[in-house]
């Protein structure tokens, strides 16, 4: 390994934006919303949740589309601004509220944590999310084939995740501190469980257990949201 | 809009890592490799390219798998380290070589640029890339239906991209400086063209033309790579 000789520090000139009210538009079962809930909790931030039932098509309601033309969740209202895309939202929270940090200080280590997160955010989740599975159904694929699609994508992706952290020790993905990698991993494992995919690769299940002990991860779980099914 | 009162600055303690040789494992037609080539060019960095013909399955060759067990491109060798995932690689280059910056200084603006990039990296590209189209073929879908899938994903995604920059003026996605957003957009438009998808949404075609005038974008084009088809 190259020596990690370069560090990134972040200096904040003013912190008034830290006082803007935060409103998270989400859905209890959306894994991308789940990621943001974990990050908000890890940062100890106060936030208000607004639930949009994706099954009922609430995200296409005119008042939400007026706020967020894409009609996706999650979206974070920060004062008069609206932020979208879970990874961008989480890095925003991390830059504005750097304690505890969700990325290491060294660029190379940051790149490795981000790469792990992006295997989930780019290679796994988009190819097995509800939108794509609905598109598959429209092509005429039966439910068993659709489920097999999701399982294949999740298992291959989590095996890759496991390889990316094989040289690290725990309890978390990248050592003894929670990072963006753990924030992405835990909700993806929720999806793995839903589809019956295997995820007992390497340290993955141990990491999930370590995260489960932290209040921010527990509070963010889908079943603990006010809009969750009874 | 909230006032952008918080700025992020990056301080580098040492720059010895900047001297590590950079070897980019890529493929001329891989849009994710294309993104990294643009970023390397914008930063004015010297790099060596190693081509892997994805059509021939070169990315599964044992010597490459020994280096990168995932067998994906792009991957960037930095000394003894290997970085994967194009967005993570580009942010690494941006942190280590901050001039010219590919992200704005303010967290809110950074989040918006990253969100635009992630619409492409998470919502569009993974759902229309070669791997997924091959999976669709395996389900028995005919070529016309597969192409229609790709076109739908690209058109919906680029329309969303256009909305995200509707309030900005050009010539680039987020004003008068190239950002990560432009680095992601141009290769995605290459894919749009390949599949015959529409992309004359808002300022998209004007941004592509503005980028095309810059040497880093011209040099990174697939047809200008040594491994390109004649």
């Amino acid at each position: 390994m190259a020596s990690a000789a370069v560090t990134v520090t972040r200096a904040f000139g003013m912190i008034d934006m830290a006082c803007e009210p935060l409103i998270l538009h989400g859905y209890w079962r959306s894994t991308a919303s789940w990621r943001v809930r974990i990050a908000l909790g890890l940062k100890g931030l106060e936030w208000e949740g607004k639930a949009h039932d994706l099954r009922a098509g609430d995200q296409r309601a005119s008042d939400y589309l007026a706020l967020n033309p894409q009609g996706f969740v999650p979206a974070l209202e920060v004062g008069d601004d609206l932020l979208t895309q879970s990874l961008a939202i989480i890095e925003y929270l991390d830059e504005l509220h750097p304690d505890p940090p969700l990325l290491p200080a060294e660029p190379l280590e940051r790149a490795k944590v981000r790469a792990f997160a992006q295997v989930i955010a780019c290679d796994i989740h988009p190819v097995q999310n509800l939108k794509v599975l609905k598109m598959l159904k429209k092509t005429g694929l039966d439910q068993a084939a659709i489920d097999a699609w999701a399982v294949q994508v999740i298992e291959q992706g989590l095996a890759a995740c496991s390889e990316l952290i094989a040289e690290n020790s725990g309890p978390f993905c990248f050592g003894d501190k929670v990072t963006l990698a753990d924030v992405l991993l835990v909700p993806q494992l929720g999806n793995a469980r839903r589809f019956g995919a295997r995820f007992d690769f390497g340290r993955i299940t141990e990491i999930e257990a370590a995260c489960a002990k932290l209040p921010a991860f527990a509070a963010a779980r889908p079943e603990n949201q006010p809009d969750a099914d009874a």
Side-chain angles (χ1 to χ4, degrees), chain A residues 6-169:
Chain A
V6 180
T7 60
V8 174
T9 61
R10 286 167 291 189
F12 296 93
M14 294 170 66
I15 57 161
D16 58 342
M17 283 170 68
C19 301
E20 300 267 14
L22 299 173
I23 301 173
L24 177 64
H25 295 267
Y27 175 54
W28 65 287
R29 222 161 59 167
S30 143
T31 49
S33 303
W34 186 351
R35 298 169 189 163
V36 178
R37 293 195 299 263
I38 296 171
L40 287 163
L42 288 169
K43 298 293 183 182
L45 295 169
E46 299 265 331
W47 55 283
E48 179 189 341
K50 289 200 179 166
H52 302 268
D53 187 339
L54 302 190
R55 290 167 304 186
D58 284 2
Q59 73 280 19
R60 312 299 311 169
S62 58
D63 57 340
Y64 187 55
L65 287 180
L67 182 71
N68 180 9
Q70 279 192 267
F72 287 166
V73 297
L76 187 70
E77 279 188 73
V78 183
D80 295 333
D81 267 292
L82 186 80
L83 300 182
T84 56
Q85 293 288 333
S86 62
L87 281 183
I89 293 171
I90 294 169
E91 289 229 22
Y92 166 80
L93 294 172
D94 197 40
E95 290 180 352
L96 215 60
H97 307 277
D99 188 32
L102 294 178
L103 288 170
E106 290 81 15
L108 256 174
E109 298 308 314
R110 293 161 72 81
K112 289 180 180 183
V113 172
R114 285 191 177 119
F116 181 101
Q118 288 163 18
V119 169
I120 294 173
C122 304
D123 293 347
I124 306 179
H125 181 251
V127 193
Q128 59 90 90
N129 68 10
L130 189 60
K131 189 180 167 196
V132 164
L133 301 187
K134 276 185 178 169
M135 285 173 70
L136 287 172
K137 193 152 205 165
K138 266 197 179 169
T139 70
L141 225 57
D142 66 25
Q143 196 57 45
I146 293 170
D147 290 347
W149 170 292
V151 165
Q152 179 189 341
V153 168
I154 293 170
E155 290 184 350
Q156 286 181 355
L158 290 177
C161 284
S162 174
E163 281 168 3
L164 289 177
I165 54 171
E167 290 179 19
N168 297 84
S169 57

Side-chain angles (χ1 to χ4, degrees), chain A residues 166-196:
Chain A
E167 290 179 19
N168 297 84
S169 57
F172 302 109
C173 288
F174 288 89
D176 60 0
K177 291 197 173 64
V178 169
T179 65
L180 183 67
D182 306 290
V183 173
L184 275 275
L185 177 63
V186 168
Q188 185 58 55
L189 297 181
N191 261 359
R193 208 169 262 120
R194 263 175 81 189
F195 288 102

Side-chain angles (χ1 to χ4, degrees), chain A residues 191-215:
Chain A
N191 261 359
R193 208 169 262 120
R194 263 175 81 189
F195 288 102
R198 273 192 62 203
F199 58 91
D200 56 339
F201 304 107
R203 294 189 293 113
I204 297 284
T205 54
E206 294 161 37
I207 294 165
E208 188 188 35
C211 291
K213 291 180 191 160
L214 303 179

